[in-house]
Amino acid sequence: MLLTLTTTHRPATDLGWLLHKKPARLQTFELPFGAAHVFYLEATEERCTAALLLDVDPVGLVRRPGGAAGGGWALDQYVNDRPYVGSSFMSVAISRVLGTALGGTCKTHPQVAASAIPLSARIAAVPCRGGERFLRLLFEPLGYEVSARRRPLNERFPQWGESAVFTVELSAVVRLADLLAHLYVLVPVLDDDKHYWVGRDEVEKLLSRGGDWLPAHPLREQIAARYLKHRRSLTREALSRLADEDAPDPEAVEETHAKEEEAVEKSLSLNERRVGAILAVLRAIGARRVLDLGCGEGRLLERLLRERTFTEIVGLDVSVRALEIAKDRLKLERLAPAVRDRVRLLHGALTYRDKRLSGFDAAAVAEVIEHLDPPRLAAFERVLFEFARPGTVVLTTPNAEYNEKFADLPAGTRRHRDHRFEWTRAEFAAWANRAAGRFGYAVRFLPVGEEDARAGPPTQMAVFQLIAASDAEDGGHAAAGPERGEDGGSEIRPPEKKATTS
Ligand code: SAH
């Protein structure tokens, strides 16, 4: 595996300082899977090219204790493309051998390390699963000029056709540390394989190397999924954390914002009224098994638990912190087993299909929809109405028209900084009617809180009722089959194994 890094920054030999590798020396480093050599192909004032050559030892890997992937005598353990192509081995080498540069520090040349300089990276061979288009979609949004040349399967037998391997060159005016971070994350993503077991610490690596640029990347979901070897629970966790990664402590900020919202709405004791209105609907329809989707800190769960008619109560939220607070609020540890067994807390995101959510009489979705990015709404609708498909859905959201009544809320602002939108009554009705029609529900609207003659109620509520539940099984109500995304992936993933935080 050969990676070369070239700069035309003047003096180009600064690259040696940035990489902490002297141009005049060949250096070799022993890594768990073989050797990494660093040397320079050229080093002049005008142009400097450093090379990282990886000598992956597949036989050594198999013989290492616990090294044989899958065991047995499969020949491909010994004979494979790993020694030759860019892969997760390259990422390990970057972090072990060029770690200081990856971290962006350079004692002698801090200014150059902190500056965008003309750089190009060339990877002699890398498998591009997803093809050249995917390669471009990965790197072009980050500002790289991408050149890619597909390699034939065998140069001596052109009739055998092309391989999945490309020679790739990426050029940009970029900080060296950023270029290395992009390669570190995206080369294994291109390759879509990893040579080691991917566990929770991989989420940390992704967040630490990708936190600055991944949240804004249009392919962030595929990137996270491939980086985490398609382990869905990890991908979910990474994505939910990435979404807020620009904030210093996203959940702490969320809490402050929630308090601000509470302060705005407190005079109306809206929270209380919302919970009351939702409970009234759930009681009226005789619901026994209920979901609280985006349960937050568990206010509704607490009330549901007090009523024995609710025999199975499941709260789901994307925020682990919120779930921890909910757990404390419910005092789960101290409850009698018969009570405790009626409630479960699940960590999950409402934009992913989740088998754990199907088969319920009703779902409450209180003050959650306005936290979803508009492009995610379609996925949320399918997760809720098509896959979870409860008999009744009680959904609340702020009424934007009422905002003018809040004295403390400057005109044109929303009640909560994390709200992606706040709908007028007409906008909410348009959304709800369309979703109901598409998924075979009937919908009616109820006000929550004191209604103003002109602005309407502070909170608006829609109650969706599944029509003709007997027809529901045939799936004919909605577009058939899961939506396939780019790269054969899908935002709506197949169901997940049980994982509870309770
Ligand atoms: N339903 C609660 C909390 C509302 S605040 C109440 O009425 O008091 C919104 C909640 O939605 C937050 O706890 C947030 O973590 C959660 N949330 C936001 N996006 C989500 C998603 N995609 N999946 C699951 N929960 C989400």
Side-chain angles (χ1 to χ4, degrees), residues 271 294-296 299 316-319 322 348-350 366-368 371-372:
N271 237 317
C295 61
R299 287 199 186 89
L316 172 130
D317 206 283
V318 75
S319 157
L350 283 169
E367 308 298 285
V368 174
H371 290 264
L372 304 177

Side-chain angles (χ1 to χ4, degrees), residues 11 120 124 148 215 275 453 474:
S120 66
V275 170
D474 67 10

Side-chain angles (χ1 to χ4, degrees), residues 5-7 12-20 40 48-50 119 176:
L5 300 168
T6 299
T7 185
T13 43
D14 278 355
L15 187 61
W17 294 104
L18 298 185
L19 292 172
H20 295 256
Y40 286 75
C48 182
T49 300
L119 277 168
L176 176 64

Side-chain angles (χ1 to χ4, degrees), residues 468-491:
S470 57
D471 298 341
E473 315 301 35
D474 67 10
H477 53 275
E483 279 159 8
R484 288 278 131 202
E486 179 69 45
D487 169 42
S490 161
E491 190 173 343

Side-chain angles (χ1 to χ4, degrees), residues 254 261 274 278 292-296 316-318 348-351 364-373 377 380 384 394-398 418-421 423 431 459-460:
E254 168 74 20
E261 181 181 24
R274 261 193 303 262
I278 294 168
D292 183 2
L293 303 175
C295 61
L316 172 130
D317 206 283
V318 75
L350 283 169
T351 41
V365 193
E367 308 298 285
V368 174
I369 192 168
E370 65 276 7
H371 290 264
L372 304 177
D373 275 330
L377 279 181
F380 162 73
L384 177 62
V394 190
L395 189 143
T396 71
T397 193
D418 188 50
H419 287 179
R420 307 301 152 99
F421 54 83
W423 277 331
W431 172 80
T459 296
Q460 37 187 350

Side-chain angles (χ1 to χ4, degrees), residues 200 233 236-237 240 251 315-321 323 345-349 354 356 496 499-501:
R200 175 143 279 112
S233 56
R236 247 183 233 181
E237 178 183 337
S240 67
E251 298 206 325
L316 172 130
D317 206 283
V318 75
S319 157
V320 175
R321 171 98 46 108
L323 289 170
L345 297 176
L346 304 178
H347 183 220
D354 195 329
R356 300 171 298 178
E496 181 78 6
T500 65
T501 58

